[in-house]
Amino acid sequence: MIYLDYSATTKTCDEVLDTFIKCSKEFIGNPNSLHELGVKSKNLIDGATKQIAELLNVKPNEIVYTSGSTESNNFVIKGICNNYKSRGKHIITTPLEHSSIYGPLDYLKEFGYTIDYVKLDAYGQVDLEDLKKLISEDTILVSICAVNSEIGITQPLDEIASIIKKYPKCFFHSDMTQAIGKIKVNLENIDLVSFSAHKFFGIKGIGVLIKKEKIELTPLIHGGKSTTEYRSGTPALPLIVSTSKALRLALTSIEEKEKYVTELNAYLKSNLEHLDKVKINSNEKCIPHILNLSVIGVKPETMLHALEKYQIYISTKSACSSSNSKSKAVFALTNDEERSNSSIRVSISHLTTREEIDKFIECFKTCYEELTCLK
């Protein structure tokens, strides 16, 4: 099997799984209980939270645990708009966001919120001049992902933040699900950040929301004590502690890992870009972990299943996207219907081997010849 869908999810690494099992067996007390077992569990969670805070250079009380990035994104958007609704009803985002951003934004339209989509430059990055034109005193939130999940486009977050800071009533949120654990990030100038553990070899079912301490959010879930007042429920101790372990491991030697992935990406690209009907959609502003390409005239699902016969697994789009529509992200970047209707995503990691890439290239070319000769 050759797994090339790391942007969808990752396999839990053994050390993280060992931590999860150990916590599940040895720390059985509810962290909210007052007895000795509960206190031991709470101390363990507090230690894990402190480690996450130190790794990301934030404060422990700025960390809220959720079930994943989808919940974190919903929590931010609905929580900000409910708690600060007197500030305005205008939100700015991009055409490159995850569906868990668009879902709550569409929901808020029912309550009179206006959503604007900032223009992109030729590389898919935010047009800063257009952002300056769109933002106003009525803007309550700007939500822009650090890395697009389909193409891998990065955004100049510090430059965006400098524009938003001129509007003190406006909050800046970034979905960093595809960034944290893969590339170095700076959270200093961002008010709210979302990410999930399963994107960097952690366990599915837990996400994190970084919320700067002066910001108040209306909870999505009410009804009892937890690690914070912002999300009720019994704290998921094994998930929290294993997330701390996964993040620490992901950030260890991160620059070396990124360098290796960059070399692998370049090798892969060089072996595919000369094919007549292949169009490379990812560009120099993208993280190396994602290579998005289109095979003109071939449906993405057809290519996916053709490769699947060789036990090679890729993706057509973000795993949470609708399966029967064109790629909105590719269309936003290229303005090309053909490319957006035929795009696939190959996502790699530092665990991907050169041998796996060679085998993928061999099988891809076989599938390419078979499928394109039918046209």
Side-chain angles (χ1 to χ4, degrees), residues 226-239:
S226 188
T227 56
T228 72
E229 62 183 315
Y230 296 101
R231 189 185 192 272
S232 298
T234 302
L237 183 149
L239 287 173

Side-chain angles (χ1 to χ4, degrees), residues 226-259:
S226 188
T227 56
T228 72
E229 62 183 315
Y230 296 101
R231 189 185 192 272
S232 298
T234 302
L237 183 149
L239 287 173
I240 291 170
V241 179
S242 64
T243 294
S244 174
K245 171 67 75 68
L247 184 61
R248 180 175 63 79
L249 293 174
L251 297 182
T252 300
S253 304
I254 190 169
E255 292 175 330
E256 292 177 21
K257 293 173 185 173
E258 186 181 358
K259 182 176 182 292

Side-chain angles (χ1 to χ4, degrees), residues 298-301 325-327 336-343:
V298 177
K299 292 182 178 180
E301 294 83 1
S325 62
K326 69 182 180 185
S327 168
D336 187 313
E337 288 279 355
E338 280 192 318
R339 289 172 75 159
S340 60
N341 280 319
S342 58
S343 66

Side-chain angles (χ1 to χ4, degrees), residues 131-146:
L131 177 60
K132 291 176 183 177
K133 292 176 184 177
L134 289 176
I135 197 167
S136 69
E137 294 298 333
D138 191 50
T139 307
I140 189 174
L141 178 68
V142 175
S143 182
I144 296 174
C145 61

